Amino acid sequence: MNAPIKNTVSLSLRIPEPKARPGDPIDFSGLNVPPAGSAPRPDTRANAFQVRDLAFTLIRVLDEAGKAVGPWDPKLSSALLKSGLRTMVITRAYDDRMYRMQRQGKTSFYMKCTGEEAVASAQALALEDDDMCFPTYRQQALLIARGYPLVDMMNQIYSNEKDPVKGRQLPVMYTSKKHGFFTISGNLGTQFSQAVGWAMASAYKGDSRIACAYIGEGSTAEGDFHSALTFASVYDAPVILNVVNNQWAISSFQGIAGGEESTFASRGIGYGIPALRVDGNDFLAVYAATKWASERARANLGPTLIEHFTYRAAPHSTSDEPSRYRPAEEAKGWPLGDPVERLKAHLIALGEWSEDDHKALEKEATEVVRAAGKESEAIGTLGQSRPSVKEMFEDVFKETPWHIRRQRQEMGY
Amino acid sequence: MATMNMIQAINSAMDVMMTRDPDVLVFGEDVGYFGGVFRATEGLQKKHGLTRCFDAPIAEGGIVATAIGMGAYGLRPVIEIQFADYIYPAYDQIVSEAARLRYRSAADFTAPITLRTPYGGGIFGGQTHSQSPEALFTHVAGIKTVIPSNPYDAKGLLIAAIEDDDPVVIFEPKRLYNGPFDGWHEKPVEPWSKHADSDVPDGHYTVPLGKAKVVRPGSDVTVLSYGTMVHVALAAAAHAGVDAEVIDLRTLVPVDIETIVESVTKTGRCVIVHEATRTSGFGAELSAMVQEECFYHLEAPILRVTGWDTPYPHAFEWEYFPGPERVAKALKRVMEG
Ligand SMILES: Cc1ncc(C[n+]2csc(CCOP(=O)(O)OP(=O)(O)O)c2C)c(N)n1
Ligand SMILES: [Mg+2]
């Protein structure tokens, strides 16, 4: 019999902590940013193990001078670049206005995607309009890019008489099947695996549409994330699995979701899913990675996982105060910059854009958003106008059963 | 003695227990450095150390499962599920595991865990920040379900729960965190400091699990309620001008049947109030108990005032919420019967 082996030291419990807290100098020293253009672009038929390195690097196209470099350069027309920039700038103006409206008491809640606009804006252009997205609450740019009326988004936020979801949902929980935008759930992670089911259905039907799923890095801890990867891998589902790593999940830094041990992209490899880790503030890199993934999906080559490495420059929501848990200057010091500024610099470097053009675009965006705002506010903000109370009892079921009808009558409707 | 609101009282309960017992530790989403989205764990990490109050990954099933494992080792974890609406990924761990560890191992292993979670509406939280899922837990054999209605009880019940050797789920009425909201939503809410139950001892004390409290003695009708609805019931009794005996159940399982029977036997009438949906709500259980135990004393049918059988709607919050008008109507009706 062997002698029992004893630990020579006593065990200790590790609790991960971020590098900097309020009052500390910001510290991104652990962040390894490879030069733009350095990641190879493999053939879409490669398997997860052949492209393994792409899960640990950062695919970057825009260099410090705003030039597009390397094999991932999607070589987009200036018209397309301008259209992407416009979506981002409108999204930012929209976020600013709605955040302000919440602060003025015109609605109960709002969530911005500031700093992360490139993800949804570039993907909306890289996908077909009828591909089905399963977004989180930070992909409002998908709707904006696909032409969903701003005024309808606002009506949802005000739960007013014209609210497309009839006053039932918390602000920002949009839905539009017509725009390939699945109804947002407040419960994190649930939709990631639903997207895989949608993709399986599309494959089953011999359709050409693919699904595009989103999850925050914090929510990858949920079981649904792991179900999604298992099912996508087993059935080779035509789906793009996006992890938006904005470094924070409310007050928890990405290390609490296991981001210190390995990248979120690398989660895919264990399931045999090719995975790309992308500079999420680089519009061109996001676009190119999404094209690569969508080509794979459309060619029956199955799922791709994309980690978008970005930073949540805004508070988590209107209920949050980030200066309580991270240095206030962290957002400004983010080494990958701002997605709007970077695409703007690129267009300027191409000779296709100027500071004046940009100012004009910002002005136009503010105007477009203000006009929609006026229209929606004329219908009414939260509490001023709303759908009939009858709507509370509708759509619980297709046909309202006796007990709910009786409750509605008790309410006087 | 100090004046505490409900959050401070809950915080104090954890603080007291962490100070007394090194086996008590606290974890959950955002509870560490930040102190929780409702600030219930504020300062605990700083005071007791990183390993005794820390952030958890966003995985409710994982939070409960690891708490069960810690409990099996001998610790007394106190875990927070950020909103009751997000407890469902943990349902299997609670129902199939925590609830049955003692039974299936003949007490070889137990789950002395305390799960705290804010519940209930009235904050414009829409369907995912407003739910009252208590009946999904009272239905499960092996879980104690607790709902406090004021700072004094919140602290005493939480300490009792932490010291209890069985799994306890505590639903905290988030609408009451800052004041005794009584359902008159257009009126500003009084702060707890104006309420007697905000006198909270600084140190250790318990409010026993399984014991209800008569918060307003009366002779006309018994009102069974818990959480926010206790305050709504009191407001409704005043509004209706009915001499109601208002009972705050405090613990739903095991429920204090003696106090209920004694009261209904005296008044001969019973109205049950909860914010949760009506069908298969805890009110159905209470109604059945009262019928079984007090049938020959009843002078009118038992009535329930509850949330409607719909999800909690954002814009119709106050139509959904069973406020004092609706409760008062039921009180008057039951008096006519
Ligand atoms: C199942 C579930 N648990 C907890 C919450 C509360 N919650 C809402 S957002 C959030 C943080 C999410 O972080 P992340 O996934 O990184 O997304 P981000 O907000 O950064 O976009 C939490 C904990 C929730 N909505 N659903
Ligand atoms: Mg995040």
Side-chain angles (χ1 to χ4, degrees):
Chain A
M1 233 176 89
N2 291 332
I5 300 168
K6 272 276 179 200
N7 285 331
T8 50
V9 292
S10 53
L11 300 168
S12 64
L13 181 63
R14 177 188 79 125
I15 312 290
E17 281 195 285
K19 284 213 160 67
R21 286 296 192 184
D24 297 338
I26 61 171
D27 181 358
F28 288 116
S29 57
L31 206 158
N32 187 12
V33 182
S38 60
R41 186 183 186 280
D43 189 276
T44 50
R45 280 162 305 192
N47 70 33
F49 307 100
Q50 290 161 336
V51 301
R52 181 190 176 284
D53 289 350
L54 293 177
F56 296 92
T57 181
L58 270 181
I59 296 172
R60 309 180 67 226
V61 173
L62 290 171
D63 71 9
E64 314 320 313
K67 285 220 294 290
V69 293
W72 286 93
D73 176 7
K75 306 215 166 20
L76 300 181
S77 70
S78 63
L80 205 132
L81 293 173
K82 285 177 193 170
S83 144
L85 186 66
R86 189 166 187 277
T87 300
M88 288 203 282
V89 171
I90 291 179
T91 301
R92 193 164 285 188
Y94 174 79
D95 273 356
D96 285 343
R97 182 178 181 92
M98 299 326 287
Y99 196 87
R100 227 172 38 242
M101 292 299 131
Q102 193 279 343
R103 283 292 182 254
Q104 291 173 16
K106 298 206 165 126
T107 190
S108 54
F109 181 78
Y110 191 71
M111 300 177 98
K112 298 167 97 174
C113 67
T114 310
E116 307 172 36
E117 292 95 340
V119 176
S121 302
Q123 290 205 310
L125 290 176
L127 294 168
E128 298 298 326
D129 276 350
D130 56 359
D131 290 332
M132 183 60 90
C133 294
F134 288 73
T136 77
Y137 41 73
R138 279 193 228 284
Q139 279 83 46
Q140 52 268 54
L142 289 172
L143 280 178
I144 292 172
R146 285 178 169 179
Y148 185 82
L150 287 178
V151 64
D152 287 339
M153 294 173 74
M154 292 168 169
N155 291 341
Q156 194 281 325
I157 283 170
Y158 294 138
S159 281
N160 66 20
E161 203 189 320
K162 293 281 166 62
D163 171 7
V165 292
K166 304 182 175 172
R168 295 180 190 141
Q169 271 278 48
L170 195 68
V172 315
M173 302 291 166
Y174 314 107
T175 181
S176 181
K177 189 189 274 185
K178 199 172 141 211
H179 296 81
F181 193 97
F182 191 73
T183 158
I184 300 178
S185 169
N187 298 58
L188 298 170
T190 50
Q191 309 191 309
F192 210 62
S193 27
Q194 293 164 5
V196 176
W198 195 98
M200 288 167 63
S202 187
Y204 168 82
K205 283 293 216 176
D207 199 341
S208 62
R209 294 176 294 166
I210 64 171
C212 191
Y214 296 86
I215 196 166
E217 91 295 339
S219 307
T220 62
E222 291 283 6
D224 284 319
F225 174 75
H226 302 274
S227 297
L229 267 60
T230 304
F231 279 70
S233 158
V234 166
Y235 299 109
D236 255 349
V239 61
I240 304 176
L241 300 164
N242 295 290
V243 177
V244 182
N245 178 3
N246 62 7
Q247 313 303 319
W248 291 93
I250 309 186
S251 75
S252 299
F253 84 116
Q254 46 86 29
I256 295 294
E260 287 189 316
E261 280 51 56
S262 189
T263 65
F264 292 97
S266 73
R267 309 288 195 260
I269 299 171
Y271 294 89
I273 297 175
L276 311 176
R277 189 160 178 267
V278 176
D279 176 348
N281 290 11
D282 179 336
F283 183 92
L284 294 181
V286 172
Y287 184 98
T290 307
K291 271 288 179 210
W292 192 85
S294 67
E295 271 172 38
R296 295 190 67 252
R298 289 187 216 284
N300 273 316
L301 293 166
T304 305
L305 181 76
I306 305 178
E307 174 184 350
H308 303 267
F309 200 71
T310 179
Y311 188 88
R312 194 197 79 212
H316 172 73
S317 72
T318 45
S319 314
D320 183 37
E321 181 42 67
S323 66
R324 296 181 97 133
Y325 52 79
R326 67 184 191 190
E329 321 76 51
E330 220 183 61
K332 282 202 194 74
W334 179 241
L336 298 172
D338 176 79
V340 174
E341 291 302 317
R342 286 176 66 191
L343 186 55
K344 170 187 157 193
H346 177 55
L347 275 161
I348 290 175
L350 289 176
E352 290 285 344
W353 200 244
S354 69
E355 289 293 346
D356 284 347
D357 289 337
H358 199 76
K359 279 210 189 73
L361 173 62
E362 283 177 340
K363 186 147 175 277
E364 186 216 334
T366 310
E367 281 308 319
V368 165
V369 170
R370 183 186 299 147
K374 291 290 166 215
E375 191 182 337
S376 177
E377 287 147 33
I379 300 163
T381 57
L382 181 63
Q384 292 181 337
S385 150
R386 59 177 186 173
S388 163
V389 176
K390 190 164 168 275
E391 292 298 346
M392 170 161 64
F393 299 97
E394 303 291 316
D395 293 330
V396 181
F397 296 101
K398 184 173 176 191
E399 271 145 37
T400 303
W402 68 268
H403 66 290
I404 298 181
R405 206 175 333 118
R406 191 183 278 184
Q407 293 175 13
R408 189 186 73 209
Q409 286 158 357
E410 201 182 320
M411 253 324 302
Y413 291 88
Chain B
M1 243 3 170
T3 303
M4 296 188 197
N5 65 25
M6 210 146 152
I7 283 289
Q8 291 162 331
I10 288 162
N11 182 280
S12 171
M14 289 184 275
D15 185 23
V16 164
M17 289 310 291
M18 291 169 90
T19 305
R20 279 166 75 101
D21 182 352
D23 288 343
V24 172
L25 79 174
V26 171
F27 64 105
E29 293 159 21
D30 300 291
V31 309
Y33 182 90
F34 184 52
V37 297
F38 289 102
R39 327 284 330 135
T41 56
E42 183 152 34
L44 296 180
Q45 182 180 82
K46 195 161 185 211
K47 178 165 173 191
H48 298 282
L50 201 54
T51 58
R52 295 197 63 203
C53 177
F54 54 86
D55 289 339
I58 302 171
E60 291 75 13
I63 291 170
V64 175
T66 50
I68 293 171
M70 290 177 188
Y73 181 95
L75 302 185
R76 288 189 179 270
V78 183
I79 53 179
E80 175 178 305
I81 299 295
Q82 198 163 82
F83 286 87
D85 314 64
Y86 303 136
I87 205 167
Y88 309 114
Y91 200 54
D92 190 35
Q93 286 289 342
I94 297 170
V95 172
S96 315
E97 303 300 320
R100 297 188 203 151
L101 227 51
R102 175 184 297 281
Y103 191 81
R104 77 178 193 220
S105 71
D108 195 19
F109 287 98
T110 60
I113 68 176
T114 303
L115 187 160
R116 304 176 31 248
T117 187
Y119 90 107
I123 64 158
F124 272 106
Q127 27 195 287
T128 52
H129 304 87
S130 307
Q131 296 166 32
S132 297
E134 67 273 13
L136 298 177
F137 297 86
T138 59
H139 190 58
V140 176
I143 301 169
K144 294 182 178 172
T145 306
V146 171
I147 302 187
S149 73
N150 61 66
Y152 181 89
D153 285 354
K155 177 168 174 182
L157 288 165
L158 178 50
I159 291 180
I162 297 170
E163 291 178 342
D164 197 277
D165 289 331
D166 285 311
V168 182
V169 176
I170 304 190
F171 290 100
E172 300 170 359
K174 62 172 109 58
R175 193 62 173 82
L176 296 186
Y177 277 154
N178 295 316
F181 175 70
D182 65 5
W184 293 120
H185 59 91
E186 273 156 12
K187 260 186 14 205
V189 183
E190 281 206 331
W192 274 114
S193 55
K194 299 213 173 131
H195 195 281
D197 290 329
S198 69
D199 277 345
V200 178
D202 294 309
H204 177 278
Y205 69 94
T206 59
V207 170
L209 306 185
K211 282 267 171 287
K213 182 177 163 194
V214 178
V215 291
R216 183 193 187 282
S219 56
D220 286 349
V221 45
T222 300
V223 182
L224 302 180
S225 59
Y226 47 87
T228 311
M229 290 303 135
V230 172
H231 303 277
V232 173
L234 290 170
H239 186 59
V242 169
D243 186 23
E245 178 145 297
V246 178
I247 296 181
D248 177 357
L249 293 176
R250 303 199 289 196
T251 302
L252 307 195
V253 173
V255 79
D256 182 356
I257 188 75
E258 273 174 33
T259 300
I260 296 173
V261 170
E262 196 183 310
S263 176
V264 179
T265 306
K266 181 178 81 179
T267 63
R269 292 178 165 87
C270 182
V271 170
I272 298 161
V273 191
H274 61 60
E275 198 181 336
T277 45
R278 182 183 185 86
T279 301
S280 302
F282 193 64
E285 182 61 33
L286 290 170
S287 174
M289 278 185 215
V290 170
Q291 190 274 144
E292 283 162 1
E293 304 278 333
C294 309
F295 182 73
Y296 295 106
H297 296 274
L298 286 175
E299 291 169 42
I302 304 161
L303 293 185
R304 286 177 288 165
V305 187
T306 68
W308 308 121
D309 284 323
T310 74
Y312 215 112
H314 180 248
F316 313 113
E317 179 140 279
W318 302 120
E319 282 77 11
Y320 183 92
F321 187 90
E325 296 272 15
R326 265 169 69 197
V327 179
K329 213 164 115 192
L331 291 176
K332 285 189 194 148
R333 214 177 111 201
V334 85
M335 290 313 296
E336 285 157 14

